[in-house]
Each structure stands twice: as structure tokens, then as C-alpha cells.
Amino acid sequence: MSDLCAPVFAANWKMCHGPAETGAFMERFVARYPPCDDATVVVFPPAISLPAFAVAAADRPDLQFGVQDVHTEVAGAHTGAISAAMVPATGATWGLAGHSERRREFGDKDADVALKLRRLLEAGLRPVLCVGETIEEREAGQLATVIERQIHGALSSIGAAGRTRLVYAYEPVWAIGTGRTASPEDAAEGHAIVREQLAAAGAGDSARAVILYGGSVKPANIGQLLAAPGVDGVLVGGASLDPDSWAAICAAGR
Ligand code: PEP
């Protein structure tokens, strides 16, 4: 993933920060995080806040943004849904796929994730494929098989050129929003498995793939997680909602 500057700091705001809060967040964040060309910062606001983010970041082309989810179809009778094809007009250039909350709450299967990745790529967006095991799967010794299934399933309909554009996020589900962070050793193990599976799936040069860690990252643990072998950045939920906390996390890339 040579065209991306690592570390990558990605913020997933989930269903938080509407347009007004997005403007207020950005006013404070840009004052605390001057432009930096040694890292990539990308925010995933709720879809309704994408235009507000674009306005607030108009003078900061270093701050990128993306959509949290898209439909598997390009257009049609899907009330409430958003198509990947609609996203570039907002200025957003990234898209998440396979987040564990989409899998759990909305029933996204690996085949849906594969199609969403395809739609994101067709729209010219850069996808982040999220994978990770539940606590039950981990305790049953299924870490590697879950990641294998998720990666191979998601990449099934993506051609070689598309695969080189993907970013990956290893997010152990038991560490998301729980305050229970994976140790640097756990993160390194998960990232090594993702890399092995990328190699097995023929996803380009797996040694150069950008793999983010996600799960209760905060200013207090960003240093040790970023230092873990194979960790190229982070995907952050809760601690990205506060501009001071998010600026402190991104400052770890300086
Ligand atoms: C996430 O939603 O991807 C995430 C990692 O959340 P949190 O940082 O709150 O655990």
C-alpha cells in the first residue's frame, strides 16, 4: 500500500456527531492538530455528517474522510440505505466494510462484505476491511480460522488491482467498546495472522499491506500499540469522539 503514509489514524464515529457536532468537533480538532505529512488521518462520520465534515475540513486537505457503510446494490428501492456511488460527491474517499457492529446488528455476512468492498472500489473509494474474532471464538481456539474465513470470503470477488487498494483492520470484537484492549502481543499475533491470510489469498504483497489495530485504543495505550510488530495504524471508536483525545492519539504519529 505504497501510496499511503503510515501510521494511519482512523476514527469511526459510529452513530455519534451529527452535522452541528461535526462542525464543533473539527473547529477544536484542527486547532490542536496542525497539518502533518508523516501520517494519514481519516474520519468516518455518520453519513449525514459527510457534507459538514467536507466543509469543516475544506482548508485541511490532509484530513481525509469516509463512509461507515454502503448498500450492496448501486441504486434502487432500499429505504434508508446509501450507495457507494453516491459517496464521492461528498468529497469522501474512504469506506468501511465488515465492521463487527454491522455483522452483529445488521447481519452482514462475508458475501455481503465482499459485495460492499466491490461497490466501494467501483466508486473509487479506498475500503477498510474489518476482521476479528469474538471472545467465544477466541476461547475456542478459532482466531486463525475466523480471520481466514473473513478474509477469503471478503476478497472472493475482488480482482488483483482492487486488492492492492485495500486497507485492513484487525479488531478483536471483545476489545471493541469494552475498555478491554488487546495487549501489544495480542495485536501483533492478530496482525501476523491477517498478513498470512492475505498472502494465502493472493492479496498482493502482504508484507506491505496496511493493517490497523482497533479495540479500545486511547491516548494512554496508543504508543505501545503502534510499537507492536506489524501494526501500521489504528481504528478508533470511543476515544475519537473527543477532539482533544483524538488529537492526542494522532499526535503519536509525529
Ligand atoms: C471501532 O468501532 O472500530 C472501535 C475500535 O471502537 P472502540 O475504539 O470504541 O473500541
Side-chain angles (χ1 to χ4, degrees), residues 12 14 96 99-101 130 171 175-179 213-218 235-240:
N12 175 14
K14 312 190 186 195
L96 294 180
H99 192 278
S100 61
E101 288 157 10
C130 304
E171 299 204 295
I176 296 183
T178 59
Y213 166 77
S216 296
V217 174
K218 37 189 175 289
L235 177 56
V236 186
S240 72

Side-chain angles (χ1 to χ4, degrees), residues 47-181:
I48 199 167
S49 298
L50 291 172
F53 192 97
V55 168
D59 295 333
R60 290 290 302 268
D62 58 310
L63 302 177
Q64 303 178 37
F65 60 111
V67 67
Q68 293 175 14
D69 184 56
V70 293
H71 199 274
T72 53
E73 297 292 332
V74 174
H78 306 288
T79 302
I82 286 166
S83 146
M86 298 168 178
V87 174
T90 67
T93 53
W94 291 66
L96 294 180
H99 192 278
S100 61
E101 288 157 10
R102 296 297 314 180
R103 294 179 192 261
R104 189 184 65 231
E105 284 187 45
F106 300 93
D108 285 14
K109 302 277 178 273
D110 292 323
D112 302 309
V113 176
L115 210 39
K116 290 181 180 195
L117 286 178
R118 200 156 114 196
R119 296 300 180 217
L120 290 167
L121 287 167
E122 285 167 358
L125 300 166
R126 183 188 293 283
V128 180
L129 168 61
C130 304
V131 297
E133 81 288 5
T134 63
I135 192 64
E136 294 79 16
E137 290 165 337
R138 187 177 186 83
E139 287 173 351
Q142 295 169 349
L143 168 61
T145 50
V146 168
I147 291 177
E148 177 181 13
R149 192 204 73 224
Q150 291 174 334
I151 287 186
H152 288 255
L155 296 186
S156 57
S157 62
I158 308 298
R163 290 176 183 206
T164 62
R165 279 191 51 77
L166 261 59
V167 167
Y168 302 87
Y170 169 60
E171 299 204 295
V173 180
W174 47 270
I176 296 183
T178 59
R180 184 177 164 192
T181 316

Side-chain angles (χ1 to χ4, degrees), residues 138 143 147 170 185-195 211:
R138 187 177 186 83
L143 168 61
I147 291 177
Y170 169 60
E185 294 74 27
D186 292 334
E189 180 190 19
H191 283 229
I193 294 171
V194 171
R195 235 175 266 283
I211 308 176

Side-chain angles (χ1 to χ4, degrees), residues 5-30:
C5 185
V8 175
F9 297 95
N12 175 14
W13 285 356
K14 312 190 186 195
M15 200 171 69
C16 302
H17 292 343
E21 292 97 337
T22 295
F25 175 102
M26 288 297 286
E27 205 171 303
R28 193 164 169 98
F29 176 68
V30 297

